[in-house]
Amino acid sequence: MDHFHYIDGQLHCEGVSMDEIASSVGTPCYVYSRATLLEHVRRIRSAFAPLEPWVCFSVKSCPNLSILKAIAGAGSGMDVVSGGELRRAMEAGCQASRCVYAGVGKTDPEIELALRAGIGLFNVESEEEFATIASVAERLGIPCDGALRVNPDVDPKTHRYTSTGNRETKFGVDLRRAAAFLRATHGNRWCRWRGIHLHIGSPIYDPTPYHQAITKALSLIDELAADGIALDTLDLGGGFGADYTTGQSPSATSYADIIVPLLAARVAAGLRVILEPGRSVAANAGSLLVSVVYTKDSGDRTFAICDAGMNALLRPSHYDAFHFIWPTRPPAGMVPSVRCVRPEMDGLVVHDIVGPLCETGDFLGLERAIPRVARGDRLAVFTAGAYGMSMANRYNSSPLPAEVLVDGDSFEIIRARETYDDLVSHERVGELAVTLA
Ligand code: LLP
């Protein structure tokens, strides 16, 4: 599932020892494997090859410029949800025409930026947004393409914070209103309807909701076709799983086995399919490396207090998400053969693996059976490449972690660790000038 493995009892990313990275770059630090990243892009491309999809990597999952460059270099477009993400995609060498732009709150300046850059497709989330895009496009004299994000009201069976395709969420236009809206606005010269966009949630481990959502989207496309309104694009969004534990996620082929038969004949008849994978590409490609600052036995609990917690990786405290955690140099014979919730091995000690912040919710993993750790040990938090660094924050004035990209036997710092100067640089009141975005 990835290129993080133990060689002679020491954790390596590809050919580089994680301890070597920690010694030279410090911790906390995100470490990414280029080979894993590209392998997951390849798997998605090959599983969905019969649909010849336009693969747009979801920038929000792992927005570092070097990561985006690697993915753009492999031929992918980008799924962006803000002006900032569009800027990153372009700076990484991905043309705006290869980007799709979703998000429920696109501002007028962001819409203008995207239009001037020549955005490939707006994934439009509401009637009011459509009117705004069309009017900004008219003012600038730059027509654009749009896909209507519909809310198909299916249950993706995932965390309620990341379920986006059920009716009560803020995303897309209710399927029951979509046909009438598309009929009413079809023919707009400034935002030309090209298709339908779906993104029902993340992660989705049971492919069935894709079947339900796609079937509903195809009925809508057929209903409109009967009225002479031709839509040639279906954007399926993201949502494929990743292996937080060994073998947890269906493979790209398992999703394709459900999706490809639904769409193959349509593609042969001219339908363009877009995929927006984020987690399935980036999650297994990254680990967060932290150091144990102190250990503490409180009688009934043993704590490993690390140099980062919910500031560097929010997922455990925000979603109760599980990330496998293990020392980079465990005692002899204590190398895990699989990553699982309850490792079976003699001599493990149950730890609460926590961060330094002043909240009880600041943890990386609770009640984890791992080898006993000591001050100075390093721990790897696996499957942290997606929504790890991108959701990191500076709570308790914690500088953001460094990021490193490994390629074979070498590595490169792709984001410098923040300094205390960085922390205060935007707050030097006397020196501040008003800048318009
Ligand atoms: N397309 C759209 C419109 C999205 O909103 C998302 C993710 C994706 C694609 C990519 O989905 P993926 O392939 O990564 O599942 N912070 C949460 C995940 C939030 C996902 C938001 N949207 C987490 O840490 O689990």
Short mmCIF file of all heavy atoms in Angstrom, two decimals, residues 22 55 70 75 99 128 144 155 180 197 204 242 264 296 339 345 354 358 387 437:
data_model
loop_
_atom_site.label_atom_id
_atom_site.label_comp_id
_atom_site.label_asym_id
_atom_site.label_seq_id
_atom_site.Cartn_x
_atom_site.Cartn_y
_atom_site.Cartn_z
N ALA A 22 14.60 12.75 10.41
CA ALA A 22 14.29 13.46 11.66
C ALA A 22 15.54 14.17 12.18
O ALA A 22 15.47 15.30 12.66
CB ALA A 22 13.75 12.48 12.69
N VAL A 55 -8.52 12.99 -14.91
CA VAL A 55 -8.26 12.83 -13.48
C VAL A 55 -7.77 14.17 -12.93
O VAL A 55 -6.76 14.71 -13.39
CB VAL A 55 -7.20 11.72 -13.22
CG1 VAL A 55 -6.89 11.63 -11.72
CG2 VAL A 55 -7.70 10.38 -13.73
N ALA A 70 4.56 17.02 -8.89
CA ALA A 70 4.75 15.61 -9.22
C ALA A 70 3.49 15.05 -9.87
O ALA A 70 3.55 14.32 -10.86
CB ALA A 70 5.09 14.82 -7.96
N GLY A 75 0.50 14.00 -15.51
CA GLY A 75 -0.59 14.20 -16.47
C GLY A 75 -1.93 14.53 -15.86
O GLY A 75 -2.93 14.58 -16.59
N CYS A 99 -8.16 22.58 -14.74
CA CYS A 99 -8.67 22.58 -13.36
C CYS A 99 -10.19 22.66 -13.35
O CYS A 99 -10.79 23.34 -14.19
CB CYS A 99 -8.13 23.79 -12.58
SG CYS A 99 -6.34 23.74 -12.33
N GLU A 128 -27.86 30.80 -7.06
CA GLU A 128 -27.33 32.15 -6.90
C GLU A 128 -25.88 32.23 -7.40
O GLU A 128 -25.47 33.21 -8.01
CB GLU A 128 -27.42 32.54 -5.42
CG GLU A 128 -27.46 34.02 -5.19
CD GLU A 128 -27.85 34.37 -3.74
OE1 GLU A 128 -27.63 33.56 -2.83
OE2 GLU A 128 -28.39 35.46 -3.54
N CYS A 144 -17.60 30.85 -19.95
CA CYS A 144 -16.99 29.70 -19.29
C CYS A 144 -17.94 28.51 -19.34
O CYS A 144 -19.10 28.65 -19.70
CB CYS A 144 -16.68 30.05 -17.83
SG CYS A 144 -18.15 30.46 -16.87
N ASP A 155 -26.68 8.13 0.97
CA ASP A 155 -25.89 8.07 2.20
C ASP A 155 -24.55 7.41 1.90
O ASP A 155 -24.50 6.21 1.60
CB ASP A 155 -26.67 7.26 3.25
CG ASP A 155 -25.90 7.14 4.57
OD1 ASP A 155 -24.81 7.73 4.67
OD2 ASP A 155 -26.41 6.46 5.47
N ALA A 180 -35.37 21.48 -13.45
CA ALA A 180 -36.05 22.73 -13.77
C ALA A 180 -35.04 23.87 -13.89
O ALA A 180 -35.12 24.71 -14.80
CB ALA A 180 -37.08 23.05 -12.69
N HIS A 197 -22.09 17.49 -11.74
CA HIS A 197 -21.00 17.17 -10.81
C HIS A 197 -21.59 16.50 -9.58
O HIS A 197 -22.65 16.89 -9.09
CB HIS A 197 -20.29 18.47 -10.40
CG HIS A 197 -19.23 18.28 -9.35
ND1 HIS A 197 -19.25 18.93 -8.14
CD2 HIS A 197 -18.12 17.51 -9.31
CE1 HIS A 197 -18.18 18.57 -7.42
NE2 HIS A 197 -17.48 17.71 -8.11
N ILE A 204 -15.30 6.79 1.26
CA ILE A 204 -16.43 5.90 1.02
C ILE A 204 -15.87 4.50 0.79
O ILE A 204 -15.24 4.24 -0.23
CB ILE A 204 -17.24 6.37 -0.20
CG1 ILE A 204 -17.72 7.81 0.02
CG2 ILE A 204 -18.41 5.44 -0.48
CD1 ILE A 204 -18.33 8.46 -1.21
N ALA A 242 -8.62 4.90 1.60
CA ALA A 242 -7.18 4.66 1.71
C ALA A 242 -6.99 3.64 2.82
O ALA A 242 -7.90 3.43 3.64
CB ALA A 242 -6.44 5.95 2.03
N ALA A 264 -19.53 2.99 -19.39
CA ALA A 264 -18.71 2.67 -20.57
C ALA A 264 -19.42 3.02 -21.88
O ALA A 264 -18.85 3.67 -22.76
CB ALA A 264 -18.30 1.20 -20.54
N LYS A 296 4.82 9.74 30.72
CA LYS A 296 4.27 9.99 32.06
C LYS A 296 3.31 8.86 32.41
O LYS A 296 2.45 8.50 31.60
CB LYS A 296 3.54 11.34 32.04
CG LYS A 296 2.79 11.65 33.31
CD LYS A 296 2.63 13.15 33.53
CE LYS A 296 1.57 13.82 32.68
NZ LYS A 296 1.38 15.23 33.04
N ARG A 339 -0.58 -3.24 9.75
CA ARG A 339 -1.06 -2.10 10.54
C ARG A 339 -2.50 -2.37 10.90
O ARG A 339 -3.34 -2.53 10.01
CB ARG A 339 -0.94 -0.82 9.72
CG ARG A 339 0.50 -0.54 9.35
CD ARG A 339 0.64 0.73 8.54
NE ARG A 339 1.90 0.71 7.82
CZ ARG A 339 2.12 1.33 6.67
NH1 ARG A 339 1.17 2.06 6.13
NH2 ARG A 339 3.30 1.24 6.09
N MET A 345 1.19 -8.78 19.79
CA MET A 345 2.64 -8.91 19.93
C MET A 345 2.91 -8.92 21.42
O MET A 345 2.23 -8.19 22.17
CB MET A 345 3.29 -7.67 19.29
CG MET A 345 4.72 -7.81 18.88
SD MET A 345 5.29 -6.22 18.20
CE MET A 345 4.79 -6.31 16.50
N VAL A 354 -0.21 11.54 22.82
CA VAL A 354 -0.84 12.86 22.87
C VAL A 354 0.12 13.95 22.41
O VAL A 354 1.34 13.72 22.31
CB VAL A 354 -1.35 13.17 24.30
CG1 VAL A 354 -2.36 12.11 24.76
CG2 VAL A 354 -0.19 13.24 25.29
N CYS A 358 -2.82 22.50 25.04
CA CYS A 358 -3.57 22.59 26.28
C CYS A 358 -5.03 22.22 26.08
O CYS A 358 -5.93 23.05 26.28
CB CYS A 358 -3.42 23.99 26.86
SG CYS A 358 -1.68 24.30 27.19
N TYR A 387 -5.09 15.32 4.00
CA TYR A 387 -5.77 16.06 5.07
C TYR A 387 -4.95 16.04 6.35
O TYR A 387 -5.49 16.05 7.46
CB TYR A 387 -7.20 15.51 5.30
CG TYR A 387 -7.97 15.44 4.01
CD1 TYR A 387 -8.25 14.22 3.38
CD2 TYR A 387 -8.38 16.60 3.36
CE1 TYR A 387 -8.94 14.17 2.16
CE2 TYR A 387 -9.07 16.56 2.16
CZ TYR A 387 -9.34 15.34 1.57
OH TYR A 387 -10.00 15.30 0.37
N ALA A 437 -6.87 41.13 -2.22
CA ALA A 437 -6.51 39.80 -2.72
C ALA A 437 -6.41 39.78 -4.23
O ALA A 437 -7.16 40.42 -4.91
CB ALA A 437 -7.57 38.79 -2.27
#
